[in-house]
């Protein structure tokens, strides 16, 4: 059994660590086992439910080289039992300069459950090509 | 001065009423005057702050014919002071069959403030072309 996370930031760090490490067990630990979770990959359809969401990450991980992921938090809304982070993900080759890679905009929703904070929604999309480079990303995995 | 909304559903109904009615005053009433709001239109950049967000809606409203908007709630996370709805927006010509129009996926975040619930994040993106038609949309404006 996995334990939860003591705050949304810890859950988010674990999410991006799993992403960068192509670690499906890390993804399993981060996504809520209780809520009706939803995941939207860039340009993708709405995936509903834990099984469909985790399957999509397993598919991505099977076909990808481990990326470097750096994040900048655009906005953070902290509630007593829900938290929402809008994040700019900078995704590049591992060991390279992640800030020079692709940019994805993600809205991540965390929910406080009995075992701690878990991810319940990840909605990602691509900003326009050629968007001005944002400020330096802060969290690097 | 505008009054707030007694629950997130009321705020969301007002948001889509303003959208369908090209009503900038309705948008002003729905978006939080306090929080660091964020809006991402489909394929667009991250817009931060009330002024930039409301300007973007005014620009959209100036160039658009009033649409018909129907919504299906994909998932709803209700907290004590934040609420998150993932919504499929069906946007078509007014008076037409909105379910036959374009589909946009939106994550809407509402926050309980002193005056009531207000919108703080709207993240919208396009699902893949040719995605299987979802179930019937429920709320029509």
């Amino acid at each position: 059994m996995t334990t939860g996370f003591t705050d949304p930031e810890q859950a988010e760090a674990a999410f991006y660590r799993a992403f960068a490490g192509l670690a499906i067990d890390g993804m399993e630990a981060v996504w809520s086992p209780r809520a009706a979770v939803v995941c939207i990959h860039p340009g993708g359809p709405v995936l509903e439910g834990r099984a469909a969401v985790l399957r999509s990450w397993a598919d991505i991980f099977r076909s990808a080289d481990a990326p470097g992921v750096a994040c900048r938090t655009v906005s953070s809304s902290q509630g007593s039992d829900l938290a929402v982070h809008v994040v700019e993900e900078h995704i590049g080759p591992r060991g390279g300069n992640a800030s020079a890679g692709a940019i994805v905009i993600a809205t991540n929703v965390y929910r406080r459950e009995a075992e701690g904070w878990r991810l319940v929604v990840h909605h990602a999309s691509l900003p326009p090509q050629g968007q001005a480079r944002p400020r330096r990303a802060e969290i690097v995995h």
Side-chain angles (χ1 to χ4, degrees), chain A residues 48-135:
Chain A
E48 296 179 61
R50 184 174 167 90
V53 169
L54 289 174
R55 199 180 316 121
S56 76
W57 285 106
D59 289 346
I60 289 170
F61 290 172
R62 253 194 301 279
S63 61
D65 288 327
V69 182
C71 293
R72 179 175 80 86
T73 301
V74 175
S75 92
S76 176
S77 303
Q78 177 68 54
S80 59
D81 41 17
L82 284 178
V84 181
H85 298 170
V86 180
V87 168
E88 256 174 16
E89 306 171 347
H90 300 238
I91 303 170
R94 169 153 290 191
N97 178 5
S99 291
I103 296 176
V104 172
I105 305 165
T107 297
N108 297 324
V109 182
Y110 302 91
R111 180 170 171 255
R112 194 177 61 182
E113 302 187 340
E115 305 84 2
W117 290 83
R118 300 290 189 109
L119 186 61
V120 293
V121 176
H122 173 71
H123 182 169
S125 66
L126 296 175
Q129 299 278 342
Q131 186 183 12
R133 286 287 170 214
R135 284 150 272 177

Side-chain angles (χ1 to χ4, degrees), chain A residues 5 8-20 23 26-27 29-30 141:
Chain A
F5 305 97
E9 288 68 30
Q10 203 182 76
E12 185 152 275
F15 172 67
Y16 285 109
R17 210 159 43 230
F19 186 176
M27 278 290 164
V30 161
H141 301 277

